[in-house]
Amino acid sequence: MAPKFTFEPSEIFILILLWLASTAAQWSPLQAPKELAQNLVRDPVLLSEASTDYGHIVHENPVAVFKPSSVSDIAGLIKFSNSLPIPFTVAARGQAHSVHGQAMARDGVAVNMTELNDYRKGSGIVVKVSGKYADVGGEQIWIDVLHATLEYGLTPLSWTDYLYLTLGGTLSNAGISGQAFQFGPQISNVHELELVTGKGDIVTCSATKNSNLFYAVLGGLGQFGIITRARVALGPAPTRVKWLHLLYNDFSAFSGDQEHLISLAENAPDYVEGFLLLNQPPLDLSFYPAAVQPRITSLVTQYSIIYIIELVKYYDDQSQENVDQEVEDLVRGLKFVPRFMFEKDASYEEFLNRVHSDELVLRSQGLWDLPHPWLNIFVPKSRISDIDEGVFKGIILKQNLTAGLVLIYPMNRSKWDDRMSAVTPDEDVFYNVAFLHTSGFDQLKAFQAQNQEVLQFCEDAGIKYKQYLPQDKTKQEWKEYFGPKWKTFQERKAEFDPKHILAPGQGIFT
Ligand SMILES: Cc1cc2nc3c(=O)[nH]c(=O)nc-3n(C[C@H](O)[C@H](O)[C@H](O)COP(=O)(O)OP(=O)(O)OC[C@H]3O[C@@H](n4cnc5c(N)ncnc54)[C@H](O)[C@@H]3O)c2cc1C
């Protein structure tokens, strides 16, 4: 007589899991239907590119790279993944300027978003002058949006410091720069999105249509949908800028003036950022005329740390007559070191595209494709002087490691929309403090240890910071990171990407 086997329900569950795991290899993306399979490539160069990013820290190999020839192709790929008992993951890859593998898909598929350029046939950026907006493909880069809109005398209002980033990539985070205090981050300047959800549905959403999806995706770290089009708000474009650097040797004078500048209702500046000049190599004084550089060097030597406000006032032919007077009014009463204000006149594009000039120099010196152990934190205004004492002076200056830029500038929380996924500290004004290190491969660990020390200092001091471009968190840390938004974030994930297919490189649900 044949033996009889009986199983407990829990044993049956385990057996099913084992069976699924043993057959998982069969459910490879490469088994996709022919119309999808032809766009899945395993070219070693493409695979290798897709397994790295600007950070050069994390490396994860996808099974294949997907070259979509249309938006429906992306929908098809995601639907196919959904149809499998064990779905594969899918990561949209914009310019891969993430620093910690956020656009990678280990054993999944990396979607090369820039391939959509062929599909657009030149219609990737469509400017609607009457509506003051542009419909822009999620794969387009901001420098191209600038060029396209300037042709109509228009411009987006909110930027990032560097413009060779895709719309999809920056809108998945927030997109911040020195205009954010006035217009909010880039996610606050989008009227409508078209995207492919984690279920493979192509959906249009806005604040009034499918609003839950709209707010989820903005700042949503790629978790809910792949952005294929964004309707971006535009305003009149200036043609030129007055570009100022004000040097401070006293932190409270520096931060007090920054906060004053971002609060102005009349004759407000158009851009406010700030950064440190440390008595450490490299001391980049390229902004300043050669004649004044020795004066600046001796100021930095004397105080070890100098704080610089970077301030810009836009103008055009109509406002040219008044701009010098406006700048004079703006800086009157500010507490920078007397005679340490320096001014440049530049075209609007030269100013916005300033980081690209640095990029070209760094590339020519072989210094661009190096590890970038970056750390960005948003710090509530009430604790910013603790960052100066505990981090700038207590860690950065002491350890003498700094290779790169340390940015510090405030933003107004009222310009952020709390319904969106992006998280900020819970104060009306908060600062972006960015440690933008470039490290040799041999020094990477030292920089990572320093970043860890900065975070530990914030923890120990009870500073309620939020990491921007968050990375490398445990489940519990993600929960704490999103705080009161975690529940909604999870619910939205269950609604729009229930099988956890999208953006696995963020490490939130995978
Ligand atoms: C030199 C440099 C300067 C920078 N300056 C700033 C700055 O001033 N301000 C600022 O805010 N940020 C800045 N960043 C950070 C940058 O905004 C983010 O890293 C951004 O995600 C990069 O865009 P990307 O196209 O390279 O995105 P990727 O690195 O390709 O992708 C980032 C994430 O978004 C997802 N994603 C990509 N495309 C889409 C899409 N279409 N739909 C949905 N999800 C998508 C990816 O899967 C991934 O999870 C800078 C980065 C660099 C390297």
Side-chain angles (χ1 to χ4, degrees):
M1 199 172 91
K4 263 194 180 168
F5 295 107
T6 50
F7 294 103
E8 295 292 315
S10 61
E11 288 170 328
I12 292 173
F13 180 67
I14 290 169
L15 282 173
I16 291 173
L17 277 184
L18 285 172
W19 174 75
L20 285 174
S22 69
T23 54
Q26 298 166 24
W27 300 320
S28 147
L30 301 171
Q31 257 83 57
K34 198 162 144 241
E35 62 278 13
L36 290 174
Q38 64 195 7
N39 294 345
L40 282 164
V41 287
R42 302 206 65 222
D43 172 71
V45 176
L46 282 183
L47 285 175
S48 152
E49 271 175 18
S51 69
T52 189
D53 62 16
Y54 180 78
H56 291 287
I57 294 168
V58 171
H59 299 278
E60 300 286 9
N61 294 318
V63 168
V65 170
F66 190 63
K67 297 169 84 171
S69 48
S70 67
V71 169
S72 321
D73 271 359
I74 301 178
L77 178 78
I78 297 177
K79 275 205 188 300
F80 172 60
S81 178
N82 269 283
S83 72
L84 299 176
I86 297 184
F88 55 84
T89 56
V90 175
R93 189 172 183 274
Q95 288 293 309
H97 274 68
S98 296
V99 293
H100 212 268
Q102 286 94 333
M104 294 178 199
R106 181 175 12 141
D107 300 331
V109 174
V111 180
N112 263 3
M113 293 300 290
T114 44
E115 293 291 331
L116 286 178
N117 263 317
D118 287 346
Y119 157 72
R120 304 286 186 198
K121 296 194 175 59
S123 67
I125 306 168
V126 179
V127 180
K128 285 277 162 32
V129 177
S130 55
K132 287 219 180 120
Y133 65 76
D135 279 331
V136 184
E139 74 290 346
Q140 300 293 315
I141 54 175
W142 285 97
I143 182 71
D144 291 339
V145 181
L146 176 66
H147 289 151
T149 54
L150 282 182
E151 278 185 32
Y152 297 89
L154 294 169
T155 175
L157 306 165
S158 184
W159 292 98
T160 47
D161 294 347
Y162 176 64
L163 307 186
Y164 291 73
L165 307 167
T166 66
L167 264 84
T170 69
L171 297 179
S172 295
N173 288 295
I176 52 164
S177 185
Q179 298 86 359
F181 79 89
Q182 192 176 18
F183 292 107
Q186 289 178 326
I187 51 173
S188 296
N189 290 275
V190 170
H191 298 314
E192 187 182 280
L193 295 171
E194 176 201 79
L195 43 92
V196 184
T197 67
K199 291 178 177 169
D201 299 326
I202 301 173
V203 181
T204 300
C205 57
S206 67
T208 52
K209 184 178 175 192
N210 298 315
S211 59
N212 202 19
L213 181 57
F214 180 70
Y215 293 126
V217 168
L218 293 169
L221 305 175
Q223 295 304 303
F224 310 101
I226 294 188
I227 300 168
T228 50
R229 180 176 58 77
R231 181 164 288 178
V232 178
L234 304 176
T239 49
R240 299 200 63 81
V241 310
K242 294 287 178 194
W243 184 358
L244 278 76
H245 279 191
L246 315 177
L247 277 57
Y248 292 74
N249 56 15
D250 177 71
F251 184 78
S252 66
F254 161 80
S255 59
D257 280 357
Q258 277 193 324
E259 287 165 25
H260 161 74
L261 287 165
I262 70 156
S263 73
L264 290 172
E266 275 176 30
N267 189 24
D270 294 298
Y271 166 102
V272 178
E273 281 203 11
F275 59 95
L276 308 184
L277 212 49
L278 297 164
N279 190 18
Q280 291 171 354
L283 192 60
D284 179 7
L285 299 180
S286 54
F287 181 88
Y288 313 98
V292 303
Q293 290 183 7
R295 213 154 52 87
I296 298 175
T297 307
S298 63
L299 191 74
V300 178
T301 315
Q302 187 184 350
Y303 291 98
S304 296
I305 181 164
I306 291 296
Y307 313 92
I308 300 184
I309 293 185
E310 186 167 55
L311 187 66
V312 165
K313 193 82 187 161
Y314 299 158
Y315 70 98
D316 56 18
D317 287 349
Q318 270 90 58
S319 48
Q320 182 169 14
E321 231 177 89
N322 303 327
V323 71
D324 286 326
Q325 186 58 52
E326 283 173 0
V327 167
E328 206 181 306
D329 294 344
L330 197 56
V331 300
R332 189 178 305 120
L334 298 185
K335 301 189 187 77
F336 52 89
V337 183
R339 299 194 313 117
F340 280 86
M341 175 177 110
F342 304 97
E343 185 179 321
K344 250 189 192 179
D345 193 279
S347 76
Y348 180 58
E349 179 176 346
E350 189 188 339
F351 163 67
L352 284 182
N353 201 17
R354 61 201 175 281
V355 177
H356 187 53
S357 334
D358 298 338
E359 173 184 358
L360 295 178
V361 174
L362 292 169
R363 277 190 189 280
S364 71
Q365 298 169 342
L367 298 174
W368 183 258
D369 288 319
L370 288 174
H372 293 103
W374 284 11
L375 175 67
N376 285 64
I377 49 176
F378 288 170
V379 177
K381 164 186 146 172
S382 64
R383 303 304 303 272
I384 199 65
S385 59
D386 295 307
I387 296 292
D388 177 48
E389 280 304 323
V391 176
F392 297 161
K393 292 175 182 151
I395 298 176
I396 304 291
L397 210 51
K398 262 196 198 144
Q399 294 189 359
N400 206 17
L401 264 181
T402 305
L405 202 55
V406 180
L407 299 181
I408 164 166
Y409 59 89
M411 290 172 274
N412 293 310
R413 188 160 182 257
S414 60
K415 305 290 179 181
W416 294 62
D417 189 328
D418 222 19
R419 290 168 293 185
M420 295 176 185
S421 293
V423 289
T424 66
D426 198 9
E427 269 186 34
D428 290 349
V429 171
F430 62 89
Y431 279 76
N432 175 34
V433 184
F435 305 91
L436 307 179
H437 305 303
T438 303
S439 130
F441 285 92
D442 52 335
Q443 274 185 311
L444 178 58
K445 284 212 155 37
F447 278 106
Q448 287 175 315
Q450 188 181 76
N451 287 344
Q452 208 42 54
E453 211 176 313
V454 170
L455 294 179
Q456 194 58 51
F457 168 82
C458 294
E459 296 288 341
D460 295 346
I463 297 173
K464 294 200 166 55
Y465 70 95
K466 291 287 175 195
Q467 207 173 338
Y468 180 55
L469 312 172
Q471 47 177 276
D472 203 16
K473 297 196 183 306
T474 62
K475 190 93 183 168
Q476 181 57 28
E477 286 167 343
W478 279 117
K479 211 172 148 187
E480 285 161 15
Y481 171 76
F482 284 106
K485 288 192 178 181
W486 176 241
K487 190 168 167 279
T488 310
F489 198 83
Q490 275 183 310
E491 285 165 1
R492 286 169 168 175
K493 184 73 174 176
E495 186 175 354
F496 303 119
D497 181 22
K499 298 197 174 172
H500 299 182
I501 287 171
L502 296 177
Q506 298 282 359
I508 306 174
F509 294 101
T510 37

